[in-house]
């Protein structure tokens, strides 16, 4: 069997059109965008063009984009960068139990320094309850961060309602929209800050952005990095022009092809689910299928260690937890947060279908999984008889 990549929540391949757009900026157009000469102006123009592409795809202003090394830095800048300016108003922060570590650990860092943190649970579908969130907002709450779509179970959060509730209480709202950008329609009117990254939308690794809305009262951010004062002093460091061009092109393509990509990946995801459910007993879906990213599937195959299964299926690239934490072996906190037992979490697999996957690939993956599950289950039946 040829290898099949079904891990598009971890990362995506760079689209050849993105590679082509970036190519000149590694070579002849190598200038520093801050230089006051022809090479610099050429680079600065490419950065401005990328800003315009990103702004058009997200529906924000070009001046609201702060380029970062990725979403980890964007999340950290949103949280750690806003906390000092908010400290006089309060030190209470609200988030959800299924956030990416880039958000949770940044907030825990603030907690270790004396801030108070409310971590909201999710319901059995994997969604934050808006009434619980409203109840958690206090007079001293200064920032709420809830992700737009989850990287493990693909559930889409009611960020429109959450951000509106925050705005009513004068609480800043940040969302990690890494998995949502390019995959679902997004309206960012009541959102204050939004993180995104290129490598989840067929762009290069090492570049992302924090969108900081220009609104009244102004959002005051302190930089995490000090240096040459680039990007209005918010993020010092020479701009990586080729990567920025890649992010711009990836955003433009994701926006123009979103519906077509979503239809394609959802069709394949549904086929994958249909076949696995029909051919494997005791298989359940983790999280709701209603409000979910179109290419995401996360299933629990009772009694089968997901890690053992994926080791056997060397040609199938899927994941047992989120890619960012798969070096660790404890059960996924997102799955535990849904109410799964540790054994069920260890028996769960995440699939992320991408725009270039084919029906033939999905069928080949299903055939292979069904066969291996039978083998692993017959081993464990045999083992338990021996004991
Ligand atoms: N947030 C979410 C939801 C993610 O899925 C990831 C990456 O896996 C990140 C943040 C971190 O992004 P980056 O790799 O650009 O730092």
């Amino acid at each position: 069997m040829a290898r099949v990549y079904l891990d598009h929540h971890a990362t995506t391949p760079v689209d050849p059109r993105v590679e082509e757009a970036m190519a000149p900026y590694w070579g002849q157009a190598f200038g520093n965008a801050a230089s006051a000469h022809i090479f610099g102006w050429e680079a600065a123009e490419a950065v401005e063009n990328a800003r315009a592409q990103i702004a058009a795809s997200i529906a924000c202003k070009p001046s609201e984009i702060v380029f970062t090394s990725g979403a980890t830095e964007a999340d950290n800048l949103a949280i750690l960068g806003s906390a000092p300016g908010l400290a006089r108003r309060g030190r209470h922060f609200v988030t959800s139990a299924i956030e990416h570590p880039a958000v949770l650990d940044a907030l825990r860092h603030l907690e270790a320094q004396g801030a108070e943190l409310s971590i909201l649970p999710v319901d059995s579908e994997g969604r934050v309850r808006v009434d619980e969130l409203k109840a958690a907002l206090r007079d001293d709450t200064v920032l709420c961060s809830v992700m737009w779509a989850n990287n493990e179970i693909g559930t889409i959060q009611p960020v429109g309602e959450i951000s509106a509730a925050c705005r009513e209480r004068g609480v800043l709202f940040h969302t990690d929209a890494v998995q949502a950008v390019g995959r679902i329609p997004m309206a960012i009117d009541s959102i204050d800050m939004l993180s995104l990254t290129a490598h989840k939308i067929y762009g290069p690794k090492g570049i992302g952005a924090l969108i900081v809305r220009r609104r009244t009262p102004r959002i005051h951010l302190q930089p995490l990095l000090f240096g040459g004062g680039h990007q209005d002093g918010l993020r010092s460091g020479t701009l990586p022009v080729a990567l920025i061009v890649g992010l711009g092109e990836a955003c433009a393509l994701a926006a123009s092809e979103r519906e077509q990509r979503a239809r394609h990946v959802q069709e394949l995801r549904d086929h994958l689910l249909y076949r696995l459910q029909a051919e494997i007993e005791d298989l359940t879906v983790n999280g709701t299928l209603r409000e979910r990213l179109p290419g995401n599937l996360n299933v629990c195959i009772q009694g089968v260690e997901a890690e053992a299964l994926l080791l056997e299926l060397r040609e199938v690239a899927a994941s047992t937890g989120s890619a960012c934490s798969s070096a660790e072996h404890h059960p996924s906190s997102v799955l535990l947060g849904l109410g799964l037992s540790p054994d069920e979490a260890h028996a769960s697999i995440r699939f992320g279908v991408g725009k270039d996957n084919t029906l033939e690939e999905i069928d080949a993956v299903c055939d292979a999984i069904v066969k291996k599950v039978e083998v692993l289950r017959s081993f464990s039946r045999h083992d338990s008889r021996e004991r």
Side-chain angles (χ1 to χ4, degrees):
M1 169 186 177
R3 58 189 199 161
V4 180
Y5 188 78
L6 287 182
D7 204 11
H8 291 83
H9 297 301
T11 196
T12 56
V14 177
D15 188 300
R17 293 166 292 180
V18 172
E19 240 181 297
E20 199 183 319
M22 291 164 66
Y25 300 95
W26 300 120
Q28 81 271 18
F30 63 87
N32 183 329
S35 297
H37 50 60
I38 182 83
F39 288 82
W41 297 326
E42 187 178 42
E45 193 184 323
V47 170
E48 285 322 299
N49 181 41
R51 266 187 207 284
Q53 286 176 304
I54 299 162
S57 70
I58 305 283
C60 68
K61 296 191 191 104
S63 60
E64 293 175 329
I65 300 164
V66 182
F67 292 112
T68 60
S69 60
T72 299
E73 187 188 334
D75 288 343
N76 274 266
L77 179 59
I79 293 164
L80 303 180
S82 64
L86 297 166
R88 256 192 294 139
R89 272 201 41 220
R91 299 199 72 189
H92 178 235
F93 295 79
V94 175
T95 192
S96 88
I98 61 167
E99 295 302 309
H100 190 272
V103 165
L104 273 178
D105 289 355
L107 286 167
R108 289 206 178 100
H109 178 73
L110 291 178
E111 192 182 27
Q113 295 177 338
E116 266 191 87
L117 182 57
S118 296
I119 303 179
L120 300 173
V122 289
D123 61 18
S124 58
E125 294 201 321
R127 300 186 87 215
V128 172
R129 293 180 55 109
V130 179
D131 51 347
E132 279 182 21
L133 183 127
K134 281 183 180 167
L137 300 179
R138 314 188 314 210
D139 290 343
D140 62 339
T141 308
V142 285
L143 176 81
C144 172
S145 180
V146 174
M147 71 197 327
W148 205 307
N150 184 265
N151 45 304
E152 291 188 49
I153 52 176
T155 46
I156 299 166
Q157 300 300 334
V159 285
E161 284 174 79
I162 295 174
S163 55
C166 287
R167 177 149 291 195
E168 226 169 77
R169 294 290 302 267
V171 172
L172 267 189
F173 180 71
H174 164 253
T175 186
D176 176 331
V178 161
Q179 301 286 349
V181 170
R183 292 190 169 121
I184 53 172
M186 294 167 59
I188 69 161
D189 289 352
S190 53
I191 282 156
D192 297 310
M193 292 182 284
L194 179 150
S195 305
L196 60 94
T197 192
H199 74 98
K200 312 283 185 178
I201 50 169
Y202 306 93
K205 293 168 186 55
I207 184 74
L210 180 67
I211 312 295
V212 186
R213 308 311 302 279
R214 302 251 162 177
R215 63 165 185 77
T216 325
R218 244 191 93 201
I219 300 168
H220 286 285
L221 286 186
Q222 281 197 5
L224 304 181
L225 301 179
F226 297 90
H230 305 77
Q231 304 198 66
D232 290 336
L234 266 180
R235 208 293 192 164
S236 283
T238 302
L239 291 175
V241 179
L243 297 180
I244 289 172
V245 167
L247 172 61
E249 192 64 20
C251 281
L253 290 170
S256 69
E257 297 176 1
R258 185 184 56 74
E259 286 179 33
Q260 167 197 334
R261 289 182 189 180
R263 254 196 317 275
H264 176 69
V265 296
Q266 180 156 352
E267 239 172 69
L268 296 189
R269 189 274 310 272
D270 290 348
H271 183 69
L272 175 64
L273 173 62
Y274 172 77
R275 279 206 54 193
L276 294 180
Q277 268 182 330
E279 296 172 43
I280 298 175
E281 267 176 37
D282 297 327
L283 176 141
T284 47
V285 178
N286 296 323
T288 179
L289 275 173
R290 274 186 311 113
E291 295 288 337
R292 192 181 192 111
L293 293 174
N296 175 278
L297 185 62
N298 194 314
V299 292
C300 171
I301 305 176
Q302 292 286 348
V304 176
E305 269 277 335
E307 215 168 287
L309 180 62
L310 288 182
L311 268 178
E312 290 276 327
L313 293 167
R314 295 196 71 83
E315 285 78 21
V316 179
S319 175
T320 56
S322 92
C324 315
S325 63
S326 62
E328 300 163 25
H329 284 281
H330 45 74
S332 145
S333 59
V334 172
L335 297 179
L336 296 184
L338 268 186
L340 269 69
S341 69
D343 279 353
E344 288 170 327
H346 282 306
S348 295
I349 302 185
R350 172 188 74 174
F351 299 97
V353 181
K355 71 181 178 69
D356 299 319
N357 285 128
T358 63
L359 189 61
E360 290 70 33
E361 285 181 324
I362 300 293
D363 275 327
V365 167
C366 287
D367 292 342
I369 292 179
V370 169
K371 219 184 278 167
K372 289 291 178 201
V373 166
E374 268 170 26
V375 172
L376 288 172
R377 279 185 170 160
S378 73
F379 276 155
S380 66
R381 274 198 296 274
H382 182 258
D383 269 4
S384 60
R385 273 204 303 274
E386 295 276 288
R387 268 188 257 121

